[in-house]
Amino acid sequence: MASSKQAALGFIFITILIDVIGFGIIIPVMPRLIEELIHGDLSAASQWGGWLTFAFAIMQFLFAPVLGNLSDRYGRRPVLLFSLFGFGMDYILLAIAPNIGWLFVGRIIAGITGASFTTATAYIADISAPEDRAKNFGLIGAAFGLGFIIGPVIGGLLGSLGSRVPFIAAAILTLLNWLYGYFVLPESLSRENRRKFEWKRANPMGSLLHLTKYPALSGLIVSLMLIYIASHSVQSTWAFFNMEKFKWDEKMVGISLGVVGLLVGLVQGGLIRVVTPKLGNEKSIYVGLGLYTLGMILFAFASQSWMMFAFLVPYCLGGICGPSLQAVISSHVPANEQGELQGALTSMMSATTIVGPPLMTNLFAYFTKKNAPVYFPGAPFLLGAFLMLVSTILAYRMFKTEKTMANS
């Protein structure tokens, strides 16, 4: 029994790792592929890139709760295999797409079937003893971090062989993982622990609306929402910005994203454990948001290629604020409502992925098009910095109100 559980944990780790590597592989080459399909420039390609992310995100927002509930009804194994097969089909469609419309078909399929992370988390919960859950859940974070270091670097290197090659590699990896799972992965959810599928429990808006139960936390919740939206100024435009301003190729984009993955891993996995206990949650939030803001302003006005690597340091150090903000929010909620809260926060993060990418890529396109009023590729970074500042003010006001009420 113990050995079969270890084998299952190993498969889940490999599944998430391959998923993230597959996702990371395509990031450096997506701008060039879109350019080829629309016969346009990077400015126009960035708009399409934002809407492709929108198509994926809205499908995932709508269908992730459905697949989660289906996994409670029919088991984790079929849903996980369905998700992996869907991603494999997506990558094949992206590799052979004759026009931009087929990219949307692929991204929609991936969004509908893309519940591998949530199902993998449920699988780990099924097979872990209570005292081992935290340790085993840590595998997900480790796989995600490692995958995001490896994936973009491989994608950048393969991209030099052709804009379609990384998509073929991602498809092969994902479908091999699907085959391995089909023949090896056991079911983790016993029949007596399954429940009837209910549409009302699969409603994505229901989870999001749970946040209205905590009016005292509204300032911090909006603050977190703005951080998520602001982060898309970097996530959604990084490749487009550096290809446009510094003429980076796919290899350079891949290496830079590998550096991002490494820095984020060091901050999230090590630095937070040292810094947060010393500063406390409130100061960690202010310092983190300040570093995020500084990093984005520096990105916006960077004049040489090497600066983008140097400015990654303050930006990635800003990552100390997120866990502290979530810790403060969760400390205001009873123990028996923590699961509900975390589900609602996850829904909110998914919702911001619907808004953030088209907002930031359209802003980039507006300031880089041929008849732009001012040529300024860094405009999304400035908007991101502004949103981070607003987030800081909201957090400060909430902490100040709380202290005033405590002293009265």
Side-chain angles (χ1 to χ4, degrees):
M1 181 68 75
S3 62
S4 66
K5 285 186 176 181
Q6 284 302 114
L9 274 175
F11 173 81
I12 294 299
F13 177 82
I14 296 296
T15 294
I16 297 172
L17 180 63
I18 290 177
D19 257 16
V20 179
I21 289 174
F23 181 73
I25 279 175
I26 70 174
I27 295 174
V29 290
M30 191 62 103
R32 294 295 182 213
L33 179 61
I34 297 171
E35 268 189 300
E36 290 173 14
L37 292 177
I38 65 169
H39 308 291
D41 58 11
L42 271 172
S43 181
S46 68
Q47 284 183 297
W48 286 104
W51 290 117
L52 282 165
T53 307
F54 168 85
F56 173 83
I58 199 164
M59 289 298 109
Q60 191 165 58
F61 177 73
L62 293 172
F63 283 91
V66 175
L67 289 178
N69 278 270
L70 284 172
S71 80
D72 284 341
R73 173 66 183 88
Y74 297 105
R76 317 300 183 203
R77 175 186 152 86
V79 173
L80 199 53
L81 292 176
F82 174 69
S83 178
L84 289 172
F85 188 77
F87 267 122
M89 292 300 100
D90 167 43
Y91 294 138
I92 289 172
L93 280 174
L94 296 181
I96 64 173
N99 56 57
I100 193 73
W102 282 100
L103 291 193
F104 278 95
V105 173
R107 292 282 77 190
I108 287 169
I109 290 172
I112 292 170
T113 63
S116 56
F117 292 113
T118 50
T119 312
T121 305
Y123 193 107
I124 288 175
D126 292 339
I127 65 173
S128 302
E131 63 271 17
D132 292 330
R133 278 184 184 169
K135 178 181 69 176
N136 291 341
F137 282 145
L139 286 173
I140 295 176
F144 198 94
L146 187 60
F148 205 77
I149 294 169
I150 297 169
V153 175
I154 293 174
L157 294 171
L158 291 176
S160 61
L161 303 175
S163 60
R164 310 278 181 149
V165 175
F167 298 96
I168 296 169
I172 292 169
L173 268 177
T174 305
L175 291 176
L176 282 175
N177 195 27
W178 171 75
L179 274 174
Y180 175 64
Y182 182 82
F183 289 108
V184 175
L185 185 69
E187 178 53 64
S188 64
L189 187 65
S190 60
R191 292 194 177 276
E192 59 268 23
N193 288 329
R194 299 182 189 184
R195 63 172 176 83
K196 184 182 176 183
F197 179 84
E198 298 174 70
W199 279 108
K200 65 180 180 181
R201 296 179 73 167
N203 174 15
M205 291 306 297
S207 180
L208 200 57
L209 291 172
H210 280 309
L211 292 174
T212 59
K213 289 176 61 177
Y214 315 110
L217 291 173
S218 58
L220 287 184
I221 289 169
V222 174
S223 178
L224 190 61
M225 180 184 72
L226 291 177
I227 292 170
Y228 288 144
I229 294 174
S231 69
H232 282 287
S233 66
V234 178
Q235 293 172 21
S236 298
T237 68
W238 182 263
F240 293 104
F241 174 85
N242 286 299
M243 285 178 166
E244 170 71 25
K245 186 163 186 178
F246 300 118
K247 310 306 174 191
W248 284 9
D249 59 10
E250 292 87 346
K251 181 180 176 182
M252 195 68 166
V253 172
I255 291 169
S256 71
L257 289 172
V259 172
V260 171
L262 183 61
L263 288 172
V264 169
L266 290 172
V267 171
Q268 299 294 331
L271 191 66
I272 282 175
R273 298 171 188 272
V274 178
V275 172
T276 304
K278 290 184 178 180
L279 290 180
N281 284 325
E282 184 178 350
K283 285 183 181 176
S284 293
I285 291 167
Y286 298 147
V287 171
L289 287 170
L291 287 166
Y292 268 148
T293 305
L294 174 64
M296 288 179 174
I297 292 171
L298 291 172
F299 287 152
F301 294 103
S303 57
Q304 294 185 48
S305 188
W306 65 265
M307 292 180 178
M308 298 305 289
F309 285 91
F311 298 159
L312 279 172
V313 175
Y315 176 76
C316 290
L317 285 173
I320 66 170
C321 81
S324 293
L325 195 51
Q326 286 184 309
V328 172
I329 291 171
S330 66
S331 69
H332 286 69
V333 174
N336 62 353
E337 294 180 19
Q338 287 295 327
E340 185 177 66
L341 171 69
Q342 295 308 319
L345 290 176
T346 301
S347 293
M348 182 187 74
M349 185 170 68
S350 298
T352 61
T353 308
I354 298 169
V355 176
L359 171 66
M360 297 304 177
T361 55
N362 275 280
L363 187 62
F364 173 84
Y366 180 78
F367 282 100
T368 55
K369 63 184 180 181
K370 288 183 175 64
N371 58 341
V374 179
Y375 179 78
F376 185 44
F381 298 138
L382 274 193
L383 176 58
F386 172 74
L387 293 176
M388 289 292 184
L389 277 175
V390 175
S391 179
T392 309
I393 293 166
L394 288 172
Y396 174 77
R397 286 180 62 183
M398 199 230 100
F399 282 122
K400 186 178 179 182
T401 303
E402 198 171 64
K403 286 172 186 173
T404 302
M405 291 175 66
N407 293 328
S408 61

